[in-house]
Amino acid sequence: DVYKRQGLYLDPFHLIRVSTAEQFRAALADSPHVALVRSDVPDRDAPAALAWSRQACPPVPVIFVAEKAEAGEVVTLWHEGAADFLLLDQLSRLPTAVRRAIDQSRRAAEAEKALEMNFRYREAIRATGQILFEWDQITDDVTFAGDVEGITGLQPEELNGNLKRYFELVHPDDRESFLERLEQARSKAQSCHQVYRLIRPDGVIRHVESRGFLLREQGVVNPKRIGFITDISQRIKAEEDLRESRRLLQTVMDNIPIGVFWKDRDSRYLGCNRRVADAFGFQGPEEMIGKCDLEFPCLKREEAEFFLQKDREVMERNEGEIGIVEPATFADGRNVWLETSKVPLHDHEGRVVGVLGIWQDITEKRQLEERLRQTLKMEAIGRLAGGVAHDFNNLLTVINGYTDLLLGQMEPGDARYDSLTQIRKAGLRASGLTRQLLAFSRKTVLVPAVIDLNELLLDMEKLLYPLLGENVVLQLKTSNPLWRVKVDPTEMSQVVINLCVNARDAMPQGGVLRIETANVDLDEAHTASVEGARPGPHVCLTVADTGTGMDDATKARIFEPFFTTKGPEKGTGLGLATVYGIVRQSGGHIEVESEVGKGTTFRVYLPRVADERRKVKSQLLPQRPAPKGRETVLLVEDEDGVRKLARLVLEGSGYCVLEAANGPDALRLCSESPGAIDLLVTDVVMPMMSGPQLAREVLGCRPGLRVLYLSGYTDDEIVRHGISEGESAFLHKPFTPAHLARKVREVLDS
C-alpha cells in the first residue's frame, strides 16, 4: 500500500506472513531477502529473532517495526545488528529501508566472499613459494604476503610498511641496479621486471625474480603496484650446472685431437669444437653457429659444395655412418685432406634433423704414405736397375774385353779395325749407362775422400762455362770457411755436371744459373718431412736456375730412371736418377723446389765430417804397358764368359791360373793344390757363397793371401767398408784386359 501510495513500481515479490517464533524460524530456512518484525507485540522476543536471522545462511537482514519504542531498546537492537527500526507513523520510509537493507546484505555477502577468496588466494601464493607484494609508489608503503619467511627469512610484519628493511636484504652488488629499476618503474607507467639476490639474516643467498604491475581501476592508473617475488635459486643453480656441464663438454671437445661438428638439415652449423673453428679461421665455435660451408672465406667453392653434397647423402640415406676423404683449404692457406665420418642426427622422435660428423687431418699421413710409396718404388726400380746393370756389366766385360784383345792384335790399316773400333765405342757408351744405373741404385762402389766442396767447384768452373753455353750466366758463390764432407770426388763432379746440364736444358732462351755452398744445421722439424734426411750439421750445395720450372706431377717423378721431359734423342732420363743415387749413397739427401715459369732449385745436403784431408789419387795416370808376372792366381767367377776372358788375360800376362766357377770349387782347389797361391781374384756376387765369404774361408787356411774383388756393384758392407778405407782391392766391371793385368800386378806388389 505504501508503494502504491508513493506511485512506485514494484518488482514482483513474494511475501511470507508468520505469527509465531516457530513459523519465523522455518521461514528463515527459505532465505528471504529481508524480514519485517513487530517488536512491540507481547511475547515477541526481538533479540532472539535477530539472533536467528544472523544464524541463517545466508544471514537475513531484519527491520524492526513498532508503534512506539524506548530509545534504549532501539540502540540495543542497532548494536545487535538490526538493519533498521521504523515506527508505524514512519512507514513511508519502508521502501527505502527495505532496499537499503537488501543492498547492505548483498554487499556484506560479497565482502565476506571476497575476504574468503583473498584468504584462499594468499594461501595459494604461499603454497607456490612466492611472495605477493603491494607497493605504493608515492608513499613507498609496501605490504608482503605469501611465503615471506621462506624467501627472506623474516616474518611479514617485519617487512610490511618497511621498504628500507627489504632493501637492506638486497645483495650489495645488486643494490645499485635494484634502485635504478625501482626509479624507472616509479617514473614510467609500465610493468617492472628484475632479477637480483637477497641475503637472508642467516647468511643464505637467494636468487629472486620480481615482476610488478600497475593497478588499473575503471581505466585509471592507480599509483599502487602489485606483483610477485619468486625464488629462482634452484633454477639459477640448474642453469649454472647446465652451463658448467656445457663448458665441461666444450672443454672436452676442444681438447679432442679431431674436429667435431653438427649441423641442421640445411647444413648450417649448430655447434663444433675449437679445432674446427680454428681450422676455418673463426674466433670460437659460437661464431660458426648458423653459418654454412659456402660462407667460409678460406674454402674453395668446389670444396664447400663437396661438403654439402656428402651432408645430403648422409641425411637422405639415414642408415649409419659414411666415411669419406674430403679436400679442404684451411684459414692458414694449407691445402689439407680430411678423413671424415658423418652420421644422421635424430631428434627424440627419430626424425632426421641434421648431420653429426668428426674429421681428422690426414695430410701428413697421406704425405708419409706417398713418400713411402715413392721410396718403395724407387727401391724396387733400384733393385731392378742394379740387377740389370750387374748382368749387363758381365756381358760388357766380355764384349769390351775381347774387342780390346782383337784390336791389340790388328794394325790400324786392317779393314776390320774400324768395325771393332765402333763396337768398342758402343761398348764404352753402354758402360757409361750401366754406371749411371748403378749410381741410381746405390750399388756402385765409391772411393770417398774428405774434401772441401769449394775446391771441387773452383776446379770445375772452367769446365762448366763451355758446358752451359754463352746464353747462360753462371754465378758461383762459395761460403768460407766451409765444412768438410766425405764423398767420392769423381762421383760428386758427376752430380754437379748433371745438375748444371739439367738447368741448362731448362733455359733454352738463356738465363742465370746460381751455384752456392753454405754450412747449415738441420733440425728435426726440417728433416722430419724429407725422406732420407737426418738432423745435424750439413754442407748445402745449391744449384738454382731461372728456367721453365716444373709442375707437381713432374716434380714427383724427376728422380725416376728413364723419366724425361726432353724430346727424343735429347736425354736418357738417367741424369737426375744418377744424382739421386750418388747423393743418397754418400749419406746425404736432396730437396727440390720448383714452380712453373719461375725456375727450379736443387739443394744437396751432405753430412759434415771431421776436418781431415785425404789425398785423392789421380785418375788420369798415363797408360803404361800391362805388366806381367809369374805368380799363381786363384780365379773365381760364376759368369763363364768373364771367367774365360780373365783367364786368357792373366795367362797371357804370364800368371799361373787356377779356375773355379763358385766358392765350394775354389775351396776344393785350395785344399788340393800343393803349391802356393799368391792372389785370390773373386767376383763379389755369386751363388752358394759370396766373394767375401770365400775370402774369409781361404784366408783361414792360407794366411797372407792377397784378395782382389771383381763386381759391377756390391751390396756387401764388408767390401764397401774395406774399399772406402783403402783396405780392400776392387776392380769395377766392365774392365779391360789392360786394367785387369795392371790391377793384379798392383795388388801383388802392394
Side-chain angles (χ1 to χ4, degrees), residues 144-166:
F144 295 96
D147 191 17
V148 179
E149 183 180 5
I151 295 178
T152 67
L154 298 175
Q155 295 297 327
E157 54 269 18
E158 296 181 75
L159 293 174
N160 287 340
N162 195 349
L163 183 60
K164 181 179 179 182
R165 181 69 181 99
Y166 183 80

Side-chain angles (χ1 to χ4, degrees), residues 2-269:
V2 172
Y3 273 79
K4 291 178 179 179
R5 287 198 302 269
Q6 293 183 2
L8 299 176
Y9 173 78
L10 281 175
D11 290 331
F13 67 94
H14 179 63
L15 179 65
I16 302 174
R17 296 177 180 271
V18 299
S19 57
T20 66
E22 289 74 14
Q23 293 175 344
F24 179 78
R25 296 185 67 177
L28 290 177
D30 292 335
S31 300
H33 291 89
V34 66
L36 300 178
V37 178
R38 282 292 296 267
S39 63
D40 57 349
V41 177
D43 301 328
R44 184 65 50 82
D45 189 352
L50 191 59
W52 294 335
S53 66
R54 285 201 303 267
Q55 293 171 2
C57 186
V60 178
V62 179
I63 299 175
F64 288 98
V65 180
E67 184 177 356
K68 59 182 179 179
E70 296 292 336
E73 180 186 0
V74 173
V75 171
T76 300
L77 293 176
W78 273 105
H79 287 166
E80 292 295 329
D84 208 341
F85 194 98
L86 300 176
L87 296 176
L88 290 177
D89 58 359
Q90 296 176 336
L91 287 182
S92 61
R93 289 180 48 238
L94 182 61
T96 303
V98 169
R99 174 53 55 193
R100 182 170 61 247
I102 293 175
D103 289 345
Q104 287 178 348
S105 176
R106 182 183 296 113
R107 284 197 295 270
E110 291 176 351
E112 184 176 354
K113 185 176 180 181
L115 184 62
E116 182 181 356
M117 288 297 296
N118 185 47
F119 173 78
R120 293 178 180 177
Y121 182 68
R122 289 173 181 267
E123 288 302 308
I125 293 296
R126 181 191 297 274
T128 63
Q130 292 180 304
I131 295 176
L132 173 65
F133 70 87
E134 182 179 298
W135 170 44
D136 191 320
Q137 297 181 135
I138 297 177
T139 64
D140 274 342
D141 186 27
V142 62
T143 303
F144 295 96
D147 191 17
V148 179
E149 183 180 5
I151 295 178
T152 67
L154 298 175
Q155 295 297 327
E157 54 269 18
E158 296 181 75
L159 293 174
N160 287 340
N162 195 349
L163 183 60
K164 181 179 179 182
R165 181 69 181 99
Y166 183 80
F167 177 72
E168 291 173 351
L169 298 177
V170 177
H171 194 286
D173 294 341
D174 298 341
R175 288 176 182 173
E176 183 177 352
S177 62
F178 178 80
L179 289 176
E180 182 179 345
R181 298 302 295 272
L182 282 185
E183 293 304 317
Q184 289 178 356
R186 196 192 304 270
S187 61
K188 298 178 180 179
Q190 59 185 25
S191 61
C192 176
H193 169 257
Q194 60 176 320
V195 175
Y196 52 93
R197 290 165 292 175
L198 295 177
I199 303 179
R200 291 162 41 115
D202 58 6
V204 176
I205 297 178
R206 299 286 191 183
H207 290 263
V208 298
E209 178 184 43
S210 67
R211 294 180 180 273
F213 308 91
L214 286 175
L215 284 175
R216 295 179 180 272
E217 296 181 357
Q218 298 179 355
V220 179
V221 176
N222 192 304
K224 291 184 179 180
R225 187 181 293 270
I226 64 170
F228 299 93
I229 298 175
T230 307
D231 185 352
I232 60 171
S233 300
Q234 291 185 350
R235 190 184 82 189
I236 293 294
K237 185 178 184 305
E239 291 174 352
E240 182 60 35
D241 290 345
L242 180 59
R243 284 193 294 269
E244 183 60 30
S245 298
R246 288 176 176 173
R247 283 194 294 267
L248 179 60
L249 178 60
Q250 189 68 46
T251 300
V252 171
M253 287 199 303
D254 289 344
N255 285 277
I256 295 176
I258 57 176
V260 183
F261 61 91
W262 51 101
K263 305 177 182 179
D264 62 16
R265 287 197 63 87
D266 296 326
S267 287
R268 294 193 173 275
Y269 282 83

